[in-house]
Amino acid sequence: MGAVILPVAAALRLRGEDPISLLADVGIDAAKVANPEWRIAEADWRRLLQHCVEVTGEEDFGLLAARQLQPQVLRSLGLAWLASDTVYDGLRRMIRFNQLLTTASRLHLEEDDTTVRVFSEATTELGAAVPAEVDYGLAVIVRMCRLTLGEYLAPVTVQMTRPAPLEPHPWEYQFAAPVSFDQPVNCLCWSRGDIEEPLVTGDPELARVNDEQSQAYLDGFLSPSTSREVVGKIIERLPDGPPSQRQIADALHVSNRTLQRKLKEEGTSFMDLLQDTRLQLAQKYLRSPGRSVVETAYLLGFSEPSTFSRAFKRWTGQAPADYREDVASR
C-alpha cells in the first residue's frame, strides 16, 4: 500500500530531510501517494528504506518511521483495529487483511494457553527483507497494539532476522522487550493475558463496517478492473492537464474502442471516471491545510483557478473555499 510511505516521509522531515527529493532519488513519484489505490513495488520500497538509512546515518530509521504511523494510514484496517474488542482481535484482523498492506510478506499466528506468537515471513522472490523493512514491519504491529491499549503494552520477546545492529538499545527501548537478532524467523511473542483484556474502545459494529471495506478493497485489488487501471493512469497525468481517452488507452496498450467497451461492461465511462477522480482528489487536497486552492487547481489539470472553482461548484454546489471552511469547522 503506497500510504505506508507517509510515516517514512514524516520521519525524514523530523531529521531535516526533504522526503520528496529522497523519493525521487529512488525513482518514486511523490504525487502518486495522493492516489489511494496506488501500490508501491517491493523493490522500490526496499530501496527507499535503505536510502533513508544511508542519508540519515541512522540504522534504526525503520523504528523511527514506525513511530510516526497513525491508524488512518492503514485505512479501514487501522480503523477496524482501533474498534476491536481486544488487542488479540486486532492482531487477527492484521493477519486476515495482511495483503491489503503488502503481498511481499505473510503473517501467521501460533498460540498456546499462555502465549500468542505472530510470525512474519517474506513471500517475494527478491529474497530476505532489508533490515529497515523488518524493523518497520514489526514495529508497526507493536505500535498499533499500543495505540489500542496503551504505551505500557509490550511483547514478551521479539525475534528478528535482521543482523544485529551496532547499538541494540533503540530496539530494546522501542519494543520494551528482549530482542534477539540474526534469528531464523521474525516473531512477536505476546502474553495471552495482556492482549485479551477487553478494550473500552471496542465497537463491534464499527469494526464490522471497516472489515467490509477492507474485504472490498482486497477483492478489488486481487481482481484488478479496467476502471481501477484507468483511474491510476488519470492521476499520473492530471498535473499536465486532463488526459484524453485515447491517451489512457495508449498507456494501457489497448485500442480506444476496446477501452470504451471494457468500461461500459463495468458500468462506467471514461468521462465519468475523469470527473469522479478530479472531484475526489479535489476534496482530498482541500482538506489539507497546507495546500491552496490555486495549487489544487493546477494539480488537477485546470489551466486557471477560476475554471476549477466553477467546476467544483458544479460538482458539489459549493465554492472550494466554502468547502474548506466547512471541513475545518467540523
Side-chain angles (χ1 to χ4, degrees):
M1 179 186 289
V4 297
I5 285 179
L6 297 175
V8 173
L12 286 170
R13 285 192 290 269
L14 285 176
R15 292 297 178 261
E17 302 291 344
D18 176 13
I20 295 179
S21 175
L22 265 73
L23 286 169
D25 287 346
V26 296
I28 300 174
D29 181 1
K32 291 184 177 180
V33 181
N35 177 6
E37 305 298 333
W38 176 62
R39 297 182 72 90
I40 181 173
E42 174 66 11
D44 291 341
W45 173 240
R46 291 185 177 184
R47 280 199 302 273
L48 172 62
L49 289 177
Q50 190 61 38
H51 189 49
C52 290
V53 171
E54 294 166 357
V55 169
T56 62
E58 298 182 14
E59 60 179 346
D60 62 334
F61 181 85
L63 301 180
L64 173 64
R67 289 199 295 273
Q68 312 315 309
L69 179 126
Q70 297 300 320
Q72 303 94 306
V73 169
L74 306 184
R75 296 174 53 168
S76 52
L77 173 57
L79 299 177
W81 190 323
L82 291 181
S84 296
D85 289 331
T86 65
V87 172
Y88 174 74
D89 289 339
L91 287 171
R92 291 185 63 85
R93 280 192 164 89
M94 173 65 87
I95 291 168
R96 176 184 173 189
F97 297 115
N98 180 58
Q99 284 186 303
L100 185 149
L101 302 182
T102 178
T103 57
S105 65
R106 182 177 72 90
L107 297 177
H108 72 276
L109 183 147
E110 296 179 6
E111 53 189 307
D112 55 34
D113 291 341
T114 60
T115 61
V116 175
R117 296 175 298 284
V118 176
F119 293 85
S120 174
E121 58 182 327
T123 59
T124 174
E125 296 179 357
L126 295 176
V130 298
E133 184 181 13
V134 175
D135 297 338
Y136 183 86
L138 295 185
V140 160
I141 296 174
V142 172
R143 173 159 174 78
M144 283 300 301
C145 290
R146 288 177 176 162
L147 286 172
T148 54
L149 192 56
E151 287 297 323
Y152 56 86
L153 178 65
V156 177
T157 59
V158 178
Q159 292 177 271
M160 308 182 82
T161 56
R162 60 127 47 236
L166 296 176
E167 173 50 63
H169 175 70
W171 282 260
E172 295 168 352
Y173 176 81
Q174 179 126 348
F175 291 110
V179 181
S180 302
F181 303 99
D182 291 302
Q183 297 299 303
V185 295
N186 294 305
C187 177
L188 297 167
C189 179
W190 302 90
S191 166
R192 179 179 287 279
D194 287 344
I195 63 173
E196 289 189 340
E197 285 286 324
L199 299 172
V200 295
T201 54
D203 187 332
E205 181 61 21
L206 180 60
R208 182 189 63 77
V209 169
N210 281 286
D211 282 348
E212 291 174 355
Q213 289 287 327
S214 294
Q215 190 61 57
Y217 173 85
L218 205 53
D219 290 343
F221 164 63
L222 295 176
S223 303
S225 67
T226 300
S227 300
R228 187 184 296 272
E229 293 177 340
V230 168
V231 168
K233 296 299 182 183
I234 288 174
I235 291 174
E236 288 179 13
R237 288 162 172 74
L238 268 180
D240 297 322
S244 68
Q245 179 173 302
R246 183 170 296 280
Q247 287 175 309
I248 298 302
D250 290 344
L252 295 176
H253 307 292
V254 299
S255 69
N256 199 34
R257 184 185 296 273
T258 298
L259 178 60
Q260 187 171 341
R261 175 179 55 78
K262 287 185 174 182
L263 292 177
K264 185 176 181 180
E265 289 172 354
E266 294 178 8
T268 187
S269 69
F270 174 76
M271 291 308 299
D272 286 343
L273 292 176
L274 178 60
Q275 178 173 308
D276 289 348
T277 301
R278 289 177 116 181
L279 172 57
Q280 290 181 36
L281 287 179
Q283 292 173 325
K284 177 183 176 69
Y285 293 153
L286 291 172
R287 286 195 294 267
S288 174
R291 186 161 276 149
S292 68
V293 172
V294 173
E295 183 184 5
T296 296
Y298 291 131
L299 284 172
L300 296 176
F302 288 92
S303 58
E304 297 291 339
S306 58
T307 307
F308 164 62
S309 295
R310 288 194 297 272
F312 190 83
K313 190 166 186 178
R314 186 172 67 251
W315 296 336
T316 67
Q318 286 184 297
D322 294 337
Y323 175 82
R324 171 169 278 170
E325 287 181 11
D326 284 351
V327 171
S329 66
R330 289 173 193 159

